[in-house]
Amino acid sequence: MEYHEGESAYFANWKLELELARTVHDDHRASGGRLFEATIQFGLEAIRTAALINGGAVIAIIAFLGATYSTRGEVETIRHALWGPAFIFISGSILCGIAAGCAYVSQALFTEAHSRVALQWKRPFVQDNADKAYVENWAKVFQGMAVGWVVFAYAALITGVVMLWLVIPT
């Protein structure tokens, strides 16, 4: 914005405030874009992690079961005992998927809360309101649910490993 000699102090100050308001509004919009991109990346990472940890264990157990299915004796007993850990690992995979969904909803709600502000031309240029707080509270609920499901998924992983350790003879 240009400033000219001879402008009144009020008008020059108004121009400065307007320029500052535009900068603050642009920064607010840019941070909203970064939040949305983080939402996408967070969801992708959570899905990858779920597939690698519990999914890999399920594949390994099923491959082992398939390779030993025609045998008899002690291997047959172990094969039957492996269905419990396999079920636990499958449960862990499902829990990771639920956690990823909750995390995505949480981040999407945080992004939505970020946009639920009043952009003003007077200070403060970005004003929070009750609507933002409401959406943010729901985002925190889903965030807590995501953390809880991840804890349960890791508990399933640990339980499955312990069950495997107890089943497989050393």
Side-chain angles (χ1 to χ4, degrees):
M1 202 170 272
E2 295 182 21
Y3 304 99
H4 303 286
E5 190 175 328
E7 290 180 339
S8 70
Y10 173 79
F11 188 66
N13 190 41
W14 176 82
K15 281 182 165 181
L16 285 171
E17 287 290 309
L18 181 64
E19 192 171 315
L20 182 59
R22 284 183 181 154
T23 302
V24 170
H25 293 172
D26 290 343
D27 288 346
H28 182 76
R29 286 185 192 102
S31 65
R34 288 189 301 272
L35 277 172
F36 182 70
E37 186 168 323
T39 300
I40 302 289
Q41 291 302 317
F42 186 81
L44 289 173
E45 288 302 318
I47 291 168
R48 287 182 195 129
T49 302
L52 289 173
I53 294 176
N54 285 302
V58 169
I59 290 170
I61 289 176
I62 290 175
F64 177 79
L65 291 172
T68 63
Y69 213 79
S70 63
T71 59
R72 298 274 185 240
E74 187 178 337
V75 174
E76 185 178 21
T77 305
I78 293 171
R79 184 176 56 239
H80 288 295
L82 287 178
W83 283 110
F87 176 76
I88 296 295
F89 288 128
I90 290 168
S91 299
S93 294
I94 292 169
L95 292 173
C96 283
I98 293 170
C102 288
Y104 180 81
V105 170
S106 172
Q107 287 302 111
L109 287 171
F110 277 122
T111 302
E112 178 64 24
H114 181 78
S115 68
R116 299 234 178 157
V117 295
L119 300 178
Q120 307 174 120
W121 297 109
K122 294 181 180 180
R123 292 177 190 260
F125 301 116
V126 178
Q127 179 69 45
D128 290 348
N129 55 37
D131 194 30
K132 177 186 177 182
Y134 177 77
V135 174
E136 218 167 51
N137 285 338
W138 275 107
K140 290 175 185 175
V141 167
F142 276 94
Q143 185 181 49
M145 288 170 47
V147 169
W149 290 121
V150 168
V151 168
F152 285 133
Y154 278 109
L157 177 66
I158 292 168
T159 302
V161 168
V162 169
M163 287 175 73
L164 278 175
W165 182 71
L166 294 173
V167 167
I168 298 176
T170 53

